[in-house]
Structure formats: structure tokens, C-alpha cells
Amino acid sequence: MRMLNSTTILTLLGLVLLGLAPTWADPCDDPSNGVQENILGVVEVYNLGYHMNSYTQSSHRVTIENQTDRDVEYKYECNHNVVIDDANDNIVVASATHEFGPYTVDPGVTKWYFQTRAASLHNVLRDRDYILKTYTALRVTGGPSWGICREYGFRHQ
């Protein structure tokens, strides 16, 4: 097992304290809903599909409820990528991903958002297998995060 030396540990600790450490973790590792730090978060991905042999579509929903006594800042992201279904399935051939925010939710207030993402397949090779990889993520600045991932395989006709 590899050990971190004290310089590396101090550097990482300093980045966290300064707020410079990366905070956009893999949404598949986050819970999809629940209350954390008196903030309720719910994220959904649904209606994944391949339509009329020309585009893919996914629906995304985000709900945030502020149960604290302070304003809460947050962002959310709707990821919609079409990748080649092979050993290198990280090659993106179409994308309709977008990050929204930052926004603020007042104490005692609930906000929700619905988004539909669609990616055109007009310039994508036909008669090949692809995977629509999607996720919805909600990130509270300096606080909890929620995420959910879904995939849909299809053959582009």
C-alpha cells in the first residue's frame, strides 16, 4: 500500500481549507436523495430514449429544500453523453450537458427544476452500438451533494 508523505498531506489539507480542492465528485458515488446538514436534496434521471433514429433524450429533475436558518448556494448539472459501446466507451460522440447556477435558496424554501436534454445523432455513424450515459447532480457550496446515474444502450439505425 502506498503511503502519502507529510508534505502531500499538508498540501491537500491546505487546499481543502482554502476551498481550492476539487469538489465535483463522481455523482454515481453520491446518494440520490436525503437530508444532509438540514438540506433536503432529490435528483432524478428518467425517460432515457433513442428517438426517430436521429436523437437521444433524457429528463432530469432536481429538488432542494433549505431547512436551515441561512441562505444556501448551490449548482446542479444535467449530463447527457452518447458514447461508443466498446472497450473505449468513454469516447463521446454527442453531448447535451449543462451546468446551472449558482443559485440561492432562502431558509424554509423549496425549489425544483425540470430539464430535458437531447443530443442530435445526425453526424454519428449508423449501424453501431452506443450507450447514452446520463446523470443529474446537485451540489451545495461548502455542503452536501446528491447524484444519480443512468445508462441506456441502443443501436443507431
Side-chain angles (χ1 to χ4, degrees), residues 22-59:
T23 58
W24 204 252
D26 183 347
C28 299
D29 295 336
D30 295 331
S32 61
N33 63 67
V35 178
Q36 298 180 40
E37 301 175 26
N38 291 322
I39 302 166
L40 169 69
V42 178
V43 291
E44 299 174 80
V45 176
Y46 55 97
N47 289 341
L48 278 67
Y50 168 66
H51 300 283
M52 295 181 274
N53 302 327
S54 62
Y55 70 97
T56 56
Q57 181 176 323
S58 59
S59 298

Side-chain angles (χ1 to χ4, degrees), residues 76-131:
Y76 70 95
E77 182 177 3
C78 299
N79 181 289
H80 179 107
N81 288 327
V82 177
V83 299
I84 299 170
D85 185 8
D86 64 12
N88 299 311
D89 70 359
N90 57 350
I91 299 173
V92 177
V93 296
S95 181
T97 298
H98 192 77
E99 181 181 277
F100 301 89
Y103 300 113
T104 302
V105 59
D106 298 328
V109 173
T110 301
K111 291 189 176 181
W112 58 91
Y113 304 91
F114 297 93
Q115 296 289 330
T116 299
R117 310 306 313 163
S120 171
L121 300 176
H122 292 296
N123 295 321
V124 176
L125 293 176
R126 293 185 178 277
D127 295 318
R128 191 163 187 184
D129 292 327
Y130 295 92
I131 302 172

Side-chain angles (χ1 to χ4, degrees), residues 60-90:
H60 304 258
R61 180 179 173 195
V62 174
T63 304
I64 183 168
E65 180 179 318
N66 183 356
Q67 301 171 351
T68 72
D69 59 358
R70 60 180 170 75
D71 290 350
V72 171
E73 184 181 88
Y74 63 95
K75 293 181 182 181
Y76 70 95
E77 182 177 3
C78 299
N79 181 289
H80 179 107
N81 288 327
V82 177
V83 299
I84 299 170
D85 185 8
D86 64 12
N88 299 311
D89 70 359
N90 57 350

